[in-house]
Amino acid sequence: MFAVYAESFSSDEPLTGLVVGERPDPTVPDGWTTVTVKAAALNHHDLWSLRGVGLKGEALPMILGCDAAGIDEAGNEVVVHAVISDPSWTGDETLDPRRSLLSERHQGTFADRVAVPRANVVPKPASLSFEEAACLPTAWLTAYRMLFVQGDLKAGDTVLVQGAGGGVATALITLARAGGLRVLATSRDEGKRAKALELGAHEVYESGARLPLKVDAVMETVGRATWTHSVRALRPGGSIVVSGTTSGPKLDDAELTRIFFLQLRVTGSTMGTRGELASLVNLLDATGVRPLIDRTLPMEEAADGFAAMAAGELFGKVVLTR
Ligand SMILES: NC(=O)c1ccc[n+]([C@@H]2O[C@H](COP(=O)([O-])OP(=O)(O)OC[C@H]3O[C@@H](n4cnc5c(N)ncnc54)[C@H](OP(=O)(O)O)[C@@H]3O)[C@@H](O)[C@H]2O)c1
């Protein structure tokens, strides 16, 4: 079948290991099903995979892609949940130490078909297009859990979103606004700051700029480049929810003194549960809120989407269609 896959790793030139070609049809273990992919979305995770982060050499060649929306074996329109937990695991699957994401141990979604455990499909409402639904399983689910589960934020709270242009960041701005929060956002780029305002941010600032107020929580996916600013932006007792380190995980200063003196909390967040994905789908269906799509490309042109993401040119999601 047609597939977009990683053949090798390069930390400096990740696109050299990307192949648009053919791979065998998926093998379908007991209790699993196949989904015919109509749309899939690109995540920074796919770029990390090509850099050799989170993917082992012995797993190559590996079909990339965590996100998909498509049609299941019974003809239903579905969204694929990307977190694969051990069959014996019960409870929150993001806490399963043996969990993986599609495209880490099991073949990913940038293909004609993807195999997933039967429990990993969620009904897609007719109100969402396949392209919109394909944005939800990774970036949007991560944003949902960061804000409303790990961040425990409520209507009326004030939140700062760092690095406004990213897939997770645009989801954070949109969902925070839909949840009744006051939303501040930063970006390195003036054009992206203007777009963040259009998307629903109340106020935007250059990365690192002094803010006129302290916030209840910061949503962090950038890491090293924004960490100090994130810690300094918080009111006493506030919290940082961190789910990524795009600019690198090695901090110049972890700001530990400020963290203990102001009694700040730092909380990790990774993906979300199947139940949270179903709630996110319901939220979009009920509110009319939709993922911001930067561009839609036929899957054959996936390399162009990867290149735009590597260059940091995006504002919103890249969707690949079949
Ligand atoms: N833990 C999880 O479950 C999970 C799930 C999804 C994503 N993630 C992680 O979260 C991160 C974002 O993912 P994504 O798919 O949203 O990636 P993306 O679409 O490529 O977005 C990255 C954003 O980071 C900001 N950024 C990058 N370098 C920066 C720098 N030096 N200074 C300031 N801002 C910088 C940029 O914002 P501006 O250009 O606007 O400044 C950019 O828009 C990745 O590291 C990814 O691995 C984790």
Side-chain angles (χ1 to χ4, degrees):
M1 64 175 178
F2 173 86
V4 177
Y5 60 96
E7 193 173 54
S8 60
F9 302 137
S10 167
S11 54
D12 297 332
E13 294 185 49
L15 268 69
T16 53
L18 183 70
V19 182
V20 176
E22 293 283 321
R23 294 294 302 148
D25 281 344
T27 48
V28 188
D30 279 352
W32 287 46
T33 185
T34 53
V35 173
T36 300
V37 176
K38 303 294 282 182
L42 193 59
N43 289 289
H44 218 96
H45 183 276
D46 304 304
L47 209 48
W48 289 126
S49 297
L50 288 168
R51 292 188 201 275
V53 178
L55 184 58
K56 295 196 169 69
E58 58 266 28
L60 295 177
M62 174 61 78
I63 300 174
L64 296 171
C66 303
D67 294 349
I71 301 189
D72 72 7
E73 286 169 356
N76 303 305
E77 298 188 351
V78 295
V79 187
V80 169
H81 180 42
V83 183
I84 313 290
S85 56
D86 191 85
S88 63
W89 181 260
T90 52
D92 183 332
E93 61 268 31
T94 66
L95 299 178
D96 176 3
R98 287 185 297 272
R99 75 179 187 278
S100 70
L101 291 189
L102 283 173
S103 79
E104 290 175 353
R105 224 174 288 150
H106 306 286
Q107 300 294 318
T109 58
F110 296 168
D112 287 328
R113 284 175 297 287
V114 60
V116 291
R118 278 189 202 288
N120 278 56
V121 294
V122 170
K124 177 186 91 58
S127 65
L128 284 177
S129 68
F130 284 111
E131 289 83 351
E132 290 163 346
C135 297
L136 303 184
T138 299
W140 276 67
L141 178 60
T142 299
Y144 180 94
R145 185 173 173 97
M146 287 175 78
L147 289 165
F148 304 124
V149 182
Q150 302 299 77
D152 198 24
L153 289 167
K154 307 279 187 305
D157 289 344
T158 299
V159 67
L160 172 66
V161 177
Q162 298 281 21
V168 177
T170 51
L172 285 164
I173 293 171
T174 310
L175 287 173
R177 189 66 199 248
L181 278 76
R182 174 163 291 278
V183 185
L184 281 56
T186 67
S187 175
R188 298 164 293 175
D189 180 85
E190 193 180 346
K192 289 187 188 180
R193 291 197 290 276
K195 285 186 187 169
L197 281 176
E198 284 170 27
L199 192 60
H202 292 90
E203 293 161 39
V204 290
Y205 300 92
E206 210 170 316
S207 298
R210 192 181 170 85
L211 305 180
L213 74 170
K214 298 291 183 190
V215 301
D216 297 305
V218 183
M219 300 295 118
E220 211 2 301
T221 60
V222 179
R224 183 177 185 203
T226 52
W227 186 260
T228 295
H229 186 250
S230 294
V231 176
R232 292 185 178 185
L234 286 172
R235 65 159 169 81
S239 67
I240 297 179
V241 182
V242 54
S243 76
T245 56
T246 305
S247 63
K250 292 191 178 141
L251 304 175
D252 297 324
D253 181 351
E255 300 283 349
L256 289 179
T257 306
R258 193 173 275 258
I259 287 174
F260 75 71
F261 193 68
L262 296 180
Q263 302 186 69
L264 307 179
R265 283 170 295 144
V266 176
T267 307
S269 195
T270 287
M271 298 295 286
T273 64
R274 184 198 183 279
E276 287 157 12
L277 179 60
S279 297
L280 170 64
V281 168
N282 279 340
L283 187 154
L284 267 59
D285 189 36
T287 59
V289 163
R290 292 292 177 268
L292 183 73
I293 297 174
D294 178 279
R295 65 195 76 182
T296 303
L297 301 168
M299 213 175 270
E300 291 83 351
E301 294 172 23
D304 293 347
F306 276 87
M309 175 169 275
E313 286 169 2
L314 301 175
F315 194 84
K317 298 294 295 172
V318 175
V319 175
L320 306 173
T321 51
R322 282 304 286 156

